[in-house]
Amino acid sequence: MADNSKMEKVVSLCKRRGFIFQGSEIYGGLAGIFDYGPMGVELRHNIKQYFWQKFIVEREDVYGMGAAILMPEKVWQASGHTELFTDPLVECKICHERVRADQPEAISDHEKTHKKEKVEWTEPVKFNMLVGTKLGAAEKTANQVYLRGEITQGVHVNFKNILDSMHTKIPFGIGQIGKAFRNEITPRDFLFRQREFEQMELQYYIKPNEEEGMKQYEYWKQFAFDWYLGLGFKKENLRLRQHAADERAHYAKDAWDIEYNMPSVGWKEAWGIHHRADWDLRRHTEYSGVDMSYYDEETKERFIPWDVECSGGVDRAFLFVMLEAYTEDELGGEVRGYLKLTPKLAPVKVAVFPLLKNKPQLVEKAREVYQKLKKEFGAVEFDDNGNIGKRYRRQDEIGTPFCVTIDFDTIEKSTGVTVRDRDSGKQERVSEKDLVEYIKEKVL
Ligand code: GAP
């Protein structure tokens, strides 16, 4: 399978099987905006759940929070975004389309649209990516606010609130998942670069010294990398890469990306680990007038903590997981395309089929097994539509790890049910009483 056809196949599967739809599609769509369908929303939820479990629930030193999307202009002045959150923009002098100057693919794609005409570009200008709006009914007094350009600032502005309400001590972290908005000049590559997307982040506050900073930074780099591997990637398809000084965001003292080797595109950013030092808390202290320092009871020192940040895109993880999982092989003499998803991410964990739709005793037994599994695993489907082969293929395509079939032997000889494994296509007979445990062991 050619790499570029893999992306096309995944995009097509996403629409056909209810994972992703173009935003407002019936009105012609909105560039860089996507909607998640019934299967997509489950997979996305499972990615977020896995983040929440590993970065927050399982840790003693991390709290979760959920900040608002809208924040006043002052926040973004303090964080440096109104001034520095820019991308270089050039305009085509023929058709006036605007493109990001530092994206060679976007430039060359645009030049191809003009065929033999020689495209000339304007000089690059800095384009700010913040998405703004006004709040308040009276035009004159309405306030300029921004939809957050990174979810991070909602955490930093609450640093004192968390400290005071949770009575915690440094080092500690605050984790969050939520939507962020960027007026990307050239949204492209499906979910890769969108204008509305979701982030999952940890801000970890530490003592401001080089040794502690290095130790924590190395620790979280590895932690984030291991977490990303746990989404089901082959090790050779992920790497850590340090940013050159001119690549780093304005707030970063050091920055590394986890990159994924994206089919037909190459190494692309999946996740950023940033050493933000005291940038955010210092700037919020200056701009808000509220002291964001921390008093260390043991050393009797007062200081502005440093922040080590792990910041990942939910949608980007979703896209990379789909590209990694999409597999073609031959089964029973036919080519099949399926999603080899790690079971914890699969939108449906088990599907239950009666062998035949028109045999009431099979359907009744299958419903009973379905109810039992649904109570245990939630994401369970019942399907009695079409021949068994087709039902298997439908489940393979959405990445369901196991299919359970109820046949005549289940009822007449009490020999249990057939459990079919998605990847090997092999079937095993499992007794009804062992079924829940058998599946639990493999999917949770
Ligand atoms: N708080 C730090 C921060 O926002 P970033 O590198 O700008 O850092 C972090 O973004 C992650 O968010 C990226 O690694 C990527 O996964 C995701 N992301 C950023 N811009 C995106 C976009 N336009 N569309 C989809 N995901 C995006």
Side-chain angles (χ1 to χ4, degrees):
M1 179 181 20
D3 273 357
N4 55 353
S5 80
K6 191 172 194 177
M7 180 68 150
E8 281 163 25
K9 282 175 180 170
V10 165
V11 172
S12 149
L13 187 150
C14 276
K15 172 147 195 217
R16 191 160 29 86
R17 299 309 316 275
F19 283 84
I20 305 281
F21 310 121
Q22 180 69 51
S24 307
E25 191 181 9
I26 61 167
Y27 290 98
L30 200 51
I33 309 282
F34 292 91
D35 295 335
Y36 282 75
M39 290 300 124
V41 83
E42 292 297 334
L43 173 51
R44 184 175 67 170
H45 172 79
N46 294 340
I47 293 172
K48 292 194 281 184
Q49 185 60 32
Y50 171 51
F51 171 85
W52 203 256
Q53 184 64 29
K54 294 290 168 194
F55 277 82
I56 292 134
V57 176
E58 287 183 12
R59 300 206 51 111
E60 281 183 39
D61 54 350
V62 181
Y63 301 95
M65 73 164 290
I69 285 171
L70 294 171
M71 300 180 91
E73 190 167 30
K74 214 63 197 284
V75 168
W76 302 105
Q77 287 166 345
S79 70
H81 283 73
T82 47
E83 186 191 348
L84 301 164
F85 196 46
T86 60
D87 273 338
L89 174 152
V90 286
E91 189 174 299
C92 166
K93 287 189 180 169
I94 302 171
C95 67
H96 303 291
E97 187 166 319
R98 293 170 165 201
V99 174
R100 232 176 102 168
D102 60 346
Q103 278 179 351
E105 322 92 62
I107 297 272
S108 87
D109 282 359
H110 183 77
E111 289 182 348
K112 280 184 205 142
T113 65
H114 285 291
K115 304 215 167 82
K116 284 185 186 141
E117 269 178 303
K118 170 136 180 48
V119 177
E120 291 194 22
W121 297 100
T122 58
E123 284 300 307
V125 291
K126 285 181 181 170
F127 178 78
N128 194 288
M129 284 190 284
L130 284 176
V131 179
T133 189
K134 297 263 182 188
L135 269 195
E139 240 170 66
K140 274 196 188 143
T141 54
N143 288 317
Q144 175 69 47
V145 296
Y146 291 96
L147 283 74
R148 57 189 177 189
E150 59 169 0
I151 63 170
T152 327
Q153 297 309 323
V155 168
H156 290 314
V157 299
N158 279 292
F159 172 74
K160 272 234 154 319
N161 285 335
I162 303 275
L163 202 59
D164 295 346
S165 59
M166 306 314 290
H167 308 290
T168 188
K169 282 199 183 106
I170 271 175
F172 75 95
I174 305 176
Q176 187 178 210
I177 303 177
K179 291 270 187 166
F181 302 81
R182 293 181 189 177
N183 198 1
E184 294 281 355
I185 301 165
T186 330
R188 55 184 290 129
D189 292 323
F190 193 35
L191 303 180
F192 182 78
R193 194 171 302 286
Q194 302 174 81
R195 288 176 168 149
E196 172 178 341
F197 56 97
E198 211 162 6
Q199 293 185 311
M200 40 195 168
E201 288 193 346
L202 169 77
Q203 309 302 323
Y204 199 77
Y205 298 104
I206 60 173
K207 279 189 183 173
N209 77 56
E210 293 295 339
E211 198 184 325
E212 174 73 356
M214 277 315 291
K215 195 179 92 195
Q216 293 288 356
Y217 194 57
E218 288 307 311
Y219 174 84
W220 287 109
K221 247 163 60 184
Q222 196 55 45
F223 190 92
F225 190 81
D226 292 343
W227 182 88
Y228 220 89
L229 267 179
L231 290 168
F233 290 94
K234 290 192 197 81
K235 219 170 178 172
E236 65 265 27
N237 286 340
L238 292 182
R239 71 175 187 191
L240 272 163
R241 186 184 69 82
Q242 188 174 24
H243 278 208
D246 61 355
E247 265 183 283
R248 288 200 292 261
H250 60 272
Y251 48 72
K253 187 176 150 82
D254 191 4
W256 287 68
D257 284 344
I258 298 172
E259 295 186 329
Y260 174 60
N261 195 3
M262 200 174 164
S264 87
V265 177
W267 292 103
K268 283 289 190 180
E269 177 187 346
W271 184 293
I273 304 108
H274 308 127
H275 191 330
R276 296 179 78 121
D278 65 356
W279 168 265
D280 302 273
L281 293 183
R282 183 170 48 77
R283 295 271 293 199
H284 285 304
T285 299
E286 284 164 24
Y287 279 71
S288 68
V290 175
D291 180 10
M292 298 294 229
S293 66
Y294 171 87
Y295 183 69
D296 191 325
E297 299 281 355
E298 279 165 33
T299 62
K300 312 289 179 214
E301 285 173 298
R302 181 167 281 287
F303 53 78
I304 293 193
W306 282 4
D307 169 38
V308 170
E309 172 187 63
C310 296
S311 173
V314 177
D315 317 75
R316 217 172 262 191
F318 184 109
L319 171 63
F320 292 166
V321 159
M322 291 294 274
L323 287 167
E324 183 79 357
Y326 185 79
T327 308
E328 284 181 358
D329 65 3
E330 215 183 285
L331 195 68
E334 273 179 43
V335 175
R336 76 168 170 160
Y338 71 106
L339 291 179
K340 211 170 172 172
L341 290 171
T342 176
K344 66 175 175 289
L345 297 188
V348 176
K349 308 293 182 214
V350 200
V352 181
F353 313 148
L355 183 64
L356 297 167
K357 186 183 188 163
N358 57 0
K359 298 289 175 198
Q361 71 272 42
L362 290 183
V363 175
E364 197 180 313
K365 187 73 192 170
R367 284 244 156 239
E368 186 190 312
V369 172
Y370 164 73
Q371 290 300 350
K372 195 164 144 191
L373 292 176
K374 198 158 181 61
K375 219 183 250 169
E376 198 66 37
F377 303 108
V380 181
E381 270 195 1
F382 182 88
D383 188 4
D384 60 4
N385 204 356
N387 72 44
I388 284 284
K390 279 209 177 110
R391 286 185 248 169
Y392 284 152
R393 291 293 183 279
R394 278 202 293 270
Q395 295 299 331
D396 290 347
E397 246 198 334
I398 59 168
T400 308
F402 298 101
C403 291
V404 170
T405 303
I406 281 72
D407 56 20
F408 290 106
D409 282 356
T410 315
I411 293 160
E412 289 162 9
K413 299 187 188 155
S414 300
T415 51
V417 299
T418 308
V419 180
R420 185 248 192 199
D421 177 88
R422 174 197 67 203
D423 300 347
S424 64
K426 291 213 173 88
Q427 302 182 14
E428 231 184 292
R429 209 79 200 167
V430 178
S431 76
E432 265 188 80
K433 79 172 174 26
D434 294 336
L435 185 61
V436 166
E437 278 311 307
Y438 177 92
I439 293 173
K440 204 185 251 176
E441 218 173 73
K442 295 181 160 67
V443 304
L444 296 183

